């Protein structure tokens, strides 16, 4: 290019790659095109996922690094990074389901997943049976000839119900049904693939990213063939994660075990203190011995019971609202998994449109507050919660 005109040289500026020395962390490949000199090589990359790249929607090296890291953490054969947690779930559903197929899903599934399933049911002819998520027999009797997928979550929101994954998964083992477990609430501490799941999904927006500055998702697969099927769908629907979000998520992963351990320890400490407070009528946290599935949670989760604590206030709806508006260290915001502690009162925010009866059916009392515990010092959090409880009292 040395003799080309200045416009041409400006466009074709040299791309410097290190001739020695490996980067210590994954570089941010903020580029969606890779150049080739051999047509056969280029066409091979179009045919399936591999460690070569040509166009961003098919994958990129930064996201691939995140995918390999997540496959390693979950003990899977391969993983797919997607533009959000919802997108991970949607891509799996679209890859595995056809019109007329049947899905069994836990009733207390994440709200966005429920909306997605209802949309598939109404517009694409998929049928869905909702089950409690605590009873293998109920799942077995829901099985039909077209059942393709069982959808579970490790800890239900906001009831904190824990399902017996090995037993629930065993209920469909011989039926040729794929099992997808949403592990967003228990990264690191629960590894659903070891309990027989075929697919694990995460909202990377939550604990994996950990700082509420990235929107992303990951699906991890027990087998490479399942991965390839879903990868093809991701290319078709365009659900690939962008490199910058992958890079931020990778940075988050480095401290995920540390953050999650601290968040779980903080959550347990706050749950214990809340349980002894006169303004609180109930605390839902799998780490408390009084939780209905405490024994099970001890078997399933290794190294902590998660960061989500739900409490019920004696003062009902008014108290719930007063509490979330009174916190000063914790922050009133949706979502979870952030380094900051976040509080929500579903009846006066996300579930405001539901009647008291509908709330009760969803297992949500009018005074229910969710705390997504962060990494702050537990004493500062407790001081904050105490003064908010006093205002809500
Ligand atoms: C947030 C969340 C999702 C959806 O993830 P997005 O990244 O917001 O699309 C799915 N499942 C659970 C359990 C979640 O908490």
């Amino acid at each position: 290019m040395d003799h080309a005109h200045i416009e041409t040289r400006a466009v074709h500026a040299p791309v410097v790659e290190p001739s020695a020395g490996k980067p210590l962390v994954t570089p941010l490949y903020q580029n969606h095109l890779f150049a080739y000199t051999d047509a056969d090589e280029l066409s091979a990359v179009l045919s399936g996922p591999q460690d070569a790249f040509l166009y961003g929607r098919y994958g990129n090296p930064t996201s691939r690094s995140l995918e390999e890291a997540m496959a390693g953490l979950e003990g899977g054969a391969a993983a797919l990074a997607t533009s959000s947690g919802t997108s991970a779930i949607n891509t799996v559903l679209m890859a595995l389901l056809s019109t007329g197929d049947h899905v069994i899903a836990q009733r207390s599934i994440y709200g966005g997943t429920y909306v997605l399933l209802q949309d598939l049911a109404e517009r694409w002819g998929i049928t869905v049976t909702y089950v409690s998520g605590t009873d293998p027999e109920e799942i077995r009797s829901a099985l039909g000839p077209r059942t393709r997928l069982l959808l579970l979550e490790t800890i239900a929101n906001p009831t904190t119900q824990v399902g017996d994954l090995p037993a629930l998964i065993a209920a469909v083992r011989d039926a040729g049904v794929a099992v997808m477990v949403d592990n967003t609430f228990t990264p690191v501490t629960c590894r659903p693939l070891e309990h027989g799941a075929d697919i694990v999904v995460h909202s990377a927006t939550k604990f994996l990213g950990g700082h509420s500055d990235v929107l992303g998702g990951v699906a991890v697969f027990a087998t490479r063939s399942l991965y390839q099927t879903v990868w093809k769908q991701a290319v078709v629907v365009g659900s690939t994660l962008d490199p910058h979000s992958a890079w931020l998520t990778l940075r988050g992963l480095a401290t995920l075990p540390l953050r999650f351990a601290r968040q779980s320890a903080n959550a347990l400490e706050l749950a214990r203190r809340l349980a002894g407070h006169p303004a609180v009528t109930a605390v839902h946290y799998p780490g408390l011995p009084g939780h209905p599935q405490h024994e099970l949670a001890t078997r399933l989760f290794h190294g902590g019971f998660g960061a989500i604590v739900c409490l019920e206030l004696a003062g009902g709806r008014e108290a719930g609202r007063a509490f979330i508006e009174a916190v000063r260290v914790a922050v009133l915001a949706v979502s979870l998994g952030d380094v900051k502690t976040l509080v929500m009162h579903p009846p006066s925010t996300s579930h405001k449109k539901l009647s008291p009866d509908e709330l009760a059916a969803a297992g949500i009392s009018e005074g229910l507050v969710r705390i997504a515990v962060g990494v702050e010092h537990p004493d500062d959090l407790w001081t904050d919660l105490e003064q908010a409880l006093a205002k809500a009292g």
Side-chain angles (χ1 to χ4, degrees):
M1 295 285 170
D2 285 355
H3 301 295
H5 293 88
I6 195 156
E7 293 85 351
T8 308
R9 283 194 284 139
V11 169
H12 294 271
V15 177
V16 176
E17 289 177 73
S19 63
K22 270 188 105 162
L24 200 60
V25 295
T26 302
L28 169 54
Y29 284 89
Q30 188 64 60
N31 59 306
H32 286 306
L33 282 182
F34 293 80
Y36 285 79
T37 51
D38 181 321
D40 287 342
E41 261 178 28
L42 187 153
S43 73
V45 180
L46 284 165
S47 66
Q50 43 204 292
D51 286 336
F53 302 90
L54 83 163
Y55 181 65
R57 184 155 41 78
Y58 290 72
N60 69 75
T62 310
S63 300
R64 188 59 48 78
S65 300
L66 170 63
E67 290 165 348
E68 298 208 346
M70 283 306 298
L73 291 182
E74 288 285 1
L80 182 74
T82 56
S83 56
S84 67
T86 305
S87 160
I89 296 164
N90 184 40
T91 307
V92 170
L93 294 177
M94 293 193 84
L96 301 188
L97 300 176
S98 304
T99 300
D101 282 346
H102 176 237
V103 175
I104 303 173
Q106 189 176 312
R107 191 169 293 115
S108 58
I109 206 95
Y110 175 73
T113 308
Y114 176 78
V115 171
L116 196 52
L117 284 171
Q118 288 306 104
D119 192 44
L120 283 174
E122 282 162 27
R123 301 199 301 136
W124 308 106
I126 306 290
T127 56
V128 187
T129 304
Y130 293 97
V131 295
S132 66
T134 52
D135 181 4
E137 266 319 307
E138 189 189 11
I139 290 177
R140 208 168 282 129
S141 56
L143 281 171
R146 296 290 301 267
T147 310
R148 294 279 177 268
L149 197 68
L150 170 65
L151 232 99
L152 301 169
E153 288 181 1
T154 55
I155 300 183
N157 178 38
T159 59
T160 76
Q161 171 189 291
V162 178
D164 188 346
L165 282 187
L168 299 175
I169 293 170
V172 301
R173 178 142 307 138
D174 301 326
V177 172
V179 179
M180 172 156 72
V181 178
D182 187 330
N183 199 23
T184 299
F185 277 39
T186 47
V188 182
T189 52
C190 185
R191 306 209 324 158
L193 297 178
E194 287 174 358
H195 301 301
D198 303 287
I199 304 162
V200 169
V201 288
H202 283 275
S203 167
T205 316
K206 314 292 171 54
F207 293 100
L208 308 189
H211 300 74
S212 302
D213 51 11
V214 55
L215 191 69
V218 182
V220 188
F221 304 91
T223 66
R224 198 142 177 105
S225 72
L226 203 44
Y227 160 64
Q228 291 196 336
T229 302
V230 180
W231 176 84
K232 283 200 183 97
Q233 190 69 36
V235 172
V236 169
V237 299
S239 50
T240 319
L241 183 64
D242 80 276
H244 187 237
S245 297
W247 187 78
L248 284 170
T249 307
L250 268 171
R251 168 185 268 234
L253 278 194
T255 55
L256 172 65
L258 303 180
R259 283 184 282 110
F260 201 70
R262 173 61 176 253
Q263 285 168 293
S264 294
N266 277 356
L268 181 59
E269 183 58 29
L270 294 178
R272 283 186 182 136
R273 294 191 196 182
L274 285 165
H277 195 283
V280 177
T281 54
V283 178
H284 306 286
Y285 185 66
L288 293 179
H291 186 280
Q293 293 97 29
H294 177 64
E295 291 303 319
L296 173 63
T298 307
R299 269 191 283 125
L300 279 182
F301 308 149
H302 298 284
F305 297 93
I308 310 302
V309 178
C310 293
L311 57 133
E312 294 182 30
L313 293 170
R317 189 179 284 255
E318 284 314 306
R321 178 173 178 158
F323 178 88
I324 58 170
E325 290 180 346
V327 290
R328 291 296 172 262
V329 177
V331 182
L332 168 56
V334 297
S335 196
L336 52 106
D338 194 273
V339 287
K340 292 188 177 78
T341 296
L342 310 174
V343 297
M344 269 286 278
H345 175 232
S348 62
T349 54
S350 56
H351 293 61
K352 199 174 174 176
K353 293 206 180 92
L354 299 196
S355 69
D357 283 348
E358 287 171 321
L359 279 177
I364 302 174
S365 81
E366 295 208 60
L368 184 128
V369 168
R370 183 182 81 184
I371 308 179
V373 182
V375 301
E376 301 95 334
H377 194 284
D379 289 343
D380 295 330
L381 288 173
W382 179 243
T383 304
D384 187 37
L385 298 189
E386 260 191 321
Q387 65 82 26
L389 286 169
K391 292 198 181 109

